[in-house]
Amino acid sequence: DVKVTQSSRYLVKRTGEKVFLECVQDMDHENMFWYRQDPGLGLRLIYFSYDVKMKEKGDIPEGYSVSREKKERFSLILESASTNQTSMYLCATATFLVSYEQYFGPGTRLTVT
Amino acid sequence: RKEVEQDPGPFNVPEGATVAFNCTYSNSASQSFFWYRQDCRKEPKLLMSVYSSGNEDGRFTAQLNRASQYISLLIRDSKLSDSATYLCAVTFLNTGFQKLVFGTGTRLLVSP
């Protein structure tokens, strides 16, 4: 079974803080993704990475950055948190050698006050 | 037009009913299609892939209609435990990479 873990289930931060969300997978998947999910808007892709140190912008990268120093770990960074970044953040992994099926972590519900 | 569209529902059905959801997609070049299930406050979990010839997994049947650009999910003999939000996902080619685009989900409520 694919296991994807995220550093926190719930997080409360203040406006302007730098926020780190971590994702770790144990299945040696090449591809990792960060999404945010908001009611009525669904899942929106923030960034993805297809290899160590490689990253690509998704549909809504503004206000975010990412880091992938090791294959199993993909971090999402909110440089200066704002209230409109309050959301559920979901990490996912996939190996395109097999298919585009994605496996999700449990999510981090971030509240920025 | 949205890349992937679903009726948000909710679909309210009694136990034992058959229910079907559709999901339309805008890119005729899309190659891979999936249905995910998401329980309240949980992460999406892959329910099944959708193959060109259609496929079945127990009470669940997925179909692809390329001509009309939609996929469908049929659930037979609904159980209370089927209550969830069902997300469709479709691959799109974007700047040299395939990305998976999700619909906003269809909510299903199965009642006793």
Side-chain angles (χ1 to χ4, degrees), chain A residues 16-33:
Chain A
E17 279 193 82
K18 192 168 186 175
V19 182
F20 293 86
L21 302 181
E22 284 228 307
C23 175
V24 179
Q25 52 111 350
D26 68 355
M27 285 303 293
D28 204 34
H29 284 177
E30 293 85 2
N31 305 280
M32 298 186 75
F33 308 82

Side-chain angles (χ1 to χ4, degrees), chain A residues 35 59 100-102, chain B residues 2-6 22-36 46 48 50 63-64 66 69-72 87-94 97-104:
Chain A
Y35 294 89
D59 299 317
Y100 290 93
E101 299 172 7
Q102 292 188 10
Chain B
K2 283 186 181 178
E3 292 174 302
V4 179
E5 288 195 80
Q6 294 183 255
N22 282 346
C23 165
T24 58
Y25 59 95
S26 61
N27 190 335
S28 59
S30 291
Q31 294 294 317
S32 299
F33 309 88
F34 307 92
W35 283 103
Y36 283 76
L46 181 67
M48 56 199 303
V50 186
Q63 300 225 306
L64 167 63
R66 283 196 184 274
Q69 292 180 210
Y70 73 89
I71 61 173
S72 63
L87 309 175
C88 64
V90 178
T91 55
F92 280 73
L93 187 61
N94 180 43
F97 295 95
Q98 289 275 356
K99 66 171 185 176
L100 198 58
V101 178
F102 289 82
T104 51

Side-chain angles (χ1 to χ4, degrees), chain A residues 38-96:
Chain A
D38 301 286
L41 296 176
L43 282 157
R44 292 181 291 167
L45 182 64
I46 305 171
Y47 267 97
F48 67 100
S49 169
Y50 55 92
D51 202 352
V52 176
K53 296 192 187 295
M54 306 303 287
K55 60 186 178 186
E56 289 288 333
K57 292 180 180 179
D59 299 317
I60 52 163
E62 297 78 19
Y64 303 94
S65 62
V66 290
S67 172
R68 192 163 179 204
E69 297 297 318
K70 293 185 177 182
K71 190 174 186 179
E72 67 271 18
R73 191 179 298 267
F74 191 34
S75 301
L76 179 70
I77 304 150
L78 285 67
E79 299 290 342
S80 177
S82 63
T83 54
N84 62 14
Q85 292 179 309
T86 291
S87 186
M88 168 70 95
Y89 289 88
L90 289 154
C91 173
T93 75
T95 174
F96 293 161

Side-chain angles (χ1 to χ4, degrees), chain B residues 6-69:
Chain B
Q6 294 183 255
D7 182 337
F11 283 56
N12 289 284
V13 301
E15 267 187 295
T18 295
V19 62
F21 314 129
N22 282 346
C23 165
T24 58
Y25 59 95
S26 61
N27 190 335
S28 59
S30 291
Q31 294 294 317
S32 299
F33 309 88
F34 307 92
W35 283 103
Y36 283 76
R37 172 194 168 124
Q38 186 172 24
D39 293 299
C40 189
R41 295 186 174 273
K42 299 277 191 174
E43 74 274 22
K45 291 187 176 176
L46 181 67
L47 181 65
M48 56 199 303
S49 303
V50 186
Y51 303 123
S52 297
S53 55
N55 47 302
E56 190 174 303
D57 183 3
R59 297 181 294 107
F60 298 83
T61 300
Q63 300 225 306
L64 167 63
N65 186 317
R66 283 196 184 274
S68 300
Q69 292 180 210

